[in-house]
């Protein structure tokens, strides 16, 4: 499942490659090779894609073909490119760069640890009253066996109303309640993807989605999101769907985890069109849709543009309400929901009735709970951004207009080393490579702003000290080797 990048597309990604720092001292071919390595290391250029033919790239960059030939040769020598005569050249990483991208992240029971590995809020004050009210409601359900594979009707109605209010008319038959969004994703994958099927994901993306995909032995291709600007490159994203025709594409269009990007309306529409034409099912993870900050208006849901039941939306209570509730859902066509329910019976039968009733009570107060969450998150985000500007001014960040995470561009490929050192001083981090495949994204770090401001400021202070120590002990070796002659 190889996709190809055209000369003009790579030229756009390369941007000002000829004006990169240190450029004056290196020949053109070496600067070009370094810029392509940089794109690979940042996950902007996926692994396993075919690079443009030398002549095509030379024309797009308006440089000589010999320069491109020499740059490709250098990339082959450094293990970043594999070529076969007559067939082309594919991107890769040298073997030593591979890092496992999945794993269990649970906060340890260490009270001094500031846990920035988990991007989720503590429970709102309304949770306990909602739980009491749910217990009062329970007798209405006790006369039955309590198995509701698609969820209790009250909750399905409430969730369907939420979609309808967002401009996407939805009936309760189109909703299936799950035990969290992650469960929803797993069920959808069971239904829509045979083992070994092709899947396109964003890079970076949500690590537990990668875990669910590897459990299905999916063949994964990536679309590299830019840390800044619009995030998605429409041309490349749609091009890779057209070329690789994956069985499924998994996207997070609302305040993407980890970058915080919001997909524009136009791309939503074009994405659905491209998916339909390629025979690709779109799984749209709307985990953060309730959390626009600063009054940012939301584009229509991706499913608004769906005429052919190609879009399956998943979402849940974890981000706006509480992760411990374990309530999520799928929105799909009614027949798809029936098939999902049949698949679910082989897994967990149904979600707990009591928890679903708690969710109903929380959703009934949704607007006021969520409004308070947004105010809290915006204040915490601003405090984190300010603390970083004060203490770590070389780190760059595009302030997200929603969601719960900053995607920080570090001052070198040090993310894993930093995470290891930070653990020693009581800060748990999710380093960049966790959000990608094959050990890329070392120059990035996800910092959630879900903890109270005082913890965030304290964590940044500890990180600044650790960052300074990393330099003094000289542990990370990220500078280009230089020859002394
Ligand atoms: C994009 C995304 N999808 C799914 C999940 C999992 O959510 P849940 O707790 O509802 O299973 C998360 C949680 O971080 C997430 O960020």
């Amino acid at each position: 499942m190889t996709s190809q990048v055209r000369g003009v597309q790579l030229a756009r990604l390369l941007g000002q490659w000829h004006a990169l720092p240190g450029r004056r001292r290196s020949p053109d071919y070496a600067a070009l090779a370094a810029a392509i390595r940089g794109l690979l290391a940042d996950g902007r250029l996926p692994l396993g894609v075919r690079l443009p033919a030398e002549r095509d790239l030379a024309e797009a960059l308006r440089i000589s073909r010999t320069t491109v030939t020499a740059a490709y040769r250098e990339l082959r020598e450094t293990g970043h490119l594999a070529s076969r005569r007559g067939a082309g050249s594919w991107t890769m990483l040298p073997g030593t760069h591979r890092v496992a991208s999945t794993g269990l992240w649970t906060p340890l029971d260490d009270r001094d640890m500031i846990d920035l590995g988990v991007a989720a809020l503590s429970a709102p004050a309304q949770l306990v009253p909602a739980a009491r009210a749910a217990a009062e409601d329970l007798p209405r359900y006790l006369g039955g066996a309590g198995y509701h594979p698609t969820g209790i009707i009250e909750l399905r109605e409430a969730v369907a109303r939420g979609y309808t209010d967002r401009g996407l008319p939805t009936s309760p038959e189109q909703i299936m309640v799950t035990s969290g969004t992650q469960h929803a994703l797993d069920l959808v994958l069971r239904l829509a993807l045979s083992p070994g099927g092709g899947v396109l994901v964003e890079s970076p993306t949500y690590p537990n989605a990668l875990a669910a995909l590897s459990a299905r032995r999916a063949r994964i291709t990536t679309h590299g999101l830019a840390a800044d600007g619009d995030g998605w490159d429409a041309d490349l994203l749609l091009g890779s769907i057209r070329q690789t025709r994956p069985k499924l594409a998994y996207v997070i269009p609302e305040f993407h985890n980890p970058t915080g990007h919001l997909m524009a309306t136009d791309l939503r529409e074009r994405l659905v069109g491209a998916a339909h034409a390629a025979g690709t099912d779109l799984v749209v993870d709307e985990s953060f849709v309730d959390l626009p900050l600063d009054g940012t208006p939301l584009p229509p849901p991706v499913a608004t543009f769906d005429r052919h039941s190609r879009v399956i939306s998943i979402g849940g209570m974890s981000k706006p309400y509480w992760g411990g509730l374990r309530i999520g859902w799928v929105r799909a066509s009614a027949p798809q929901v029936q098939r999902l329910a049949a698949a679910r019976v082989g897994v967990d039968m149904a979600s707990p009735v009591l928890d679903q009733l708690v969710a109903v009570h929380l959703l009934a107060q949704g607007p006021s709970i969520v409004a308070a969450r947004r105010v809290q998150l915006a204040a915490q985000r601003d405090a984190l951004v300010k603390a970083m500007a004060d203490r770590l001014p070389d780190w760059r960040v595009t302030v997200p207009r929603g969601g719960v995470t900053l995607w920080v561009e570090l001052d070198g490929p040090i993310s894993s080393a930093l995470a290891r050192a930070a653990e020693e001083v009581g800060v748990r981090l999710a380093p960049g490579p966790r959000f990608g495949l094959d050990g890329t994204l070392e120059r990035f770090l996800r910092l959630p702003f879900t903890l109270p401001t005082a913890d965030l400021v304290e964590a940044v202070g500890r990180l600044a000290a650790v960052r300074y120590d990393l330099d003094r002990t000289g542990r990370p070796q990220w500078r280009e080797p230089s020859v002394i002659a």
Side-chain angles (χ1 to χ4, degrees), residues 120-128 318-325 362 369 373 376 450:
L121 291 161
S122 56
Q126 292 88 341
L127 195 104
V128 170
S318 294
K319 301 303 161 171
Y321 300 92
W322 191 45
L325 203 53
L362 286 173
I369 296 176
R373 301 300 239 188
Q376 177 191 352
T450 42

Side-chain angles (χ1 to χ4, degrees), residues 12-13 44 200-205 223-238 241 250-265 267-268 270-271 284-285 299 302 401:
R12 198 173 58 245
L13 285 178
R44 301 282 316 282
L200 180 85
V201 300
E202 294 140 337
S203 172
T205 189
H223 167 66
L225 251 61
D228 51 8
D230 291 336
W232 294 269
D233 181 309
D235 190 26
L236 280 174
L237 174 60
L238 304 180
I241 288 183
Y250 168 78
V251 290
I252 312 171
E254 280 94 13
F255 313 115
H256 174 266
N257 183 3
T259 63
H261 287 302
L262 178 61
M263 188 185 281
T265 304
L267 180 52
R268 291 168 186 243
R270 293 172 65 201
L271 179 60
V284 178
D285 187 330
V302 172
R401 292 177 292 156

